[in-house]
Amino acid sequence: PSNVVYEDEWVFAFRDIAPAAPVHIIIIPKQKQGLTGLSKAEEQHEAILGKLLVAAAKIAKQEGLGQGYRIVINDGEHAGQTVFHLH
């Protein structure tokens, strides 16, 4: 179960069950295509990477974050990534 905040044909976004910030939303691509972390990004992933960032902007507006927000991508175990799916 999840608390969905946004979904389209490319991405799915939901509230984190253990938030580390007052607003903590996870945005994931619907299809991984080998994109387990940002370091795995290739030209074939350009479209989905753009879709993830555009979705983040839409969600920020929806959530009333006009004053600013932060986007974090932990890449790899040494960076604190615990779920090996780009999010």
Side-chain angles (χ1 to χ4, degrees):
S2 60
N3 186 343
V4 179
V5 295
Y6 179 84
E7 182 176 12
D8 64 21
E9 65 181 286
W10 294 90
V11 305
F12 184 74
F14 53 94
R15 296 192 191 284
D16 192 298
I17 59 170
V23 178
H24 188 164
I25 297 170
I26 308 293
I27 307 170
I28 61 171
K30 286 189 171 180
Q31 294 191 10
K32 263 197 319 194
Q33 302 171 343
L35 192 57
T36 56
L38 196 55
S39 61
K40 305 293 187 206
E42 298 177 354
E43 285 185 37
Q44 68 175 336
H45 301 118
E46 287 178 356
I48 191 58
L49 291 169
K51 298 288 186 184
L52 288 166
L53 290 175
V54 169
K58 288 178 182 179
I59 294 165
K61 187 174 189 177
Q62 172 185 302
E63 295 289 313
L65 301 174
Q67 298 286 333
Y69 55 94
R70 182 170 69 128
I71 295 173
V72 176
I73 300 173
N74 295 331
D75 187 68
E77 187 176 347
H78 288 44
Q81 185 178 7
T82 56
V83 176
F84 293 91
H85 183 298
L86 182 70
H87 64 286

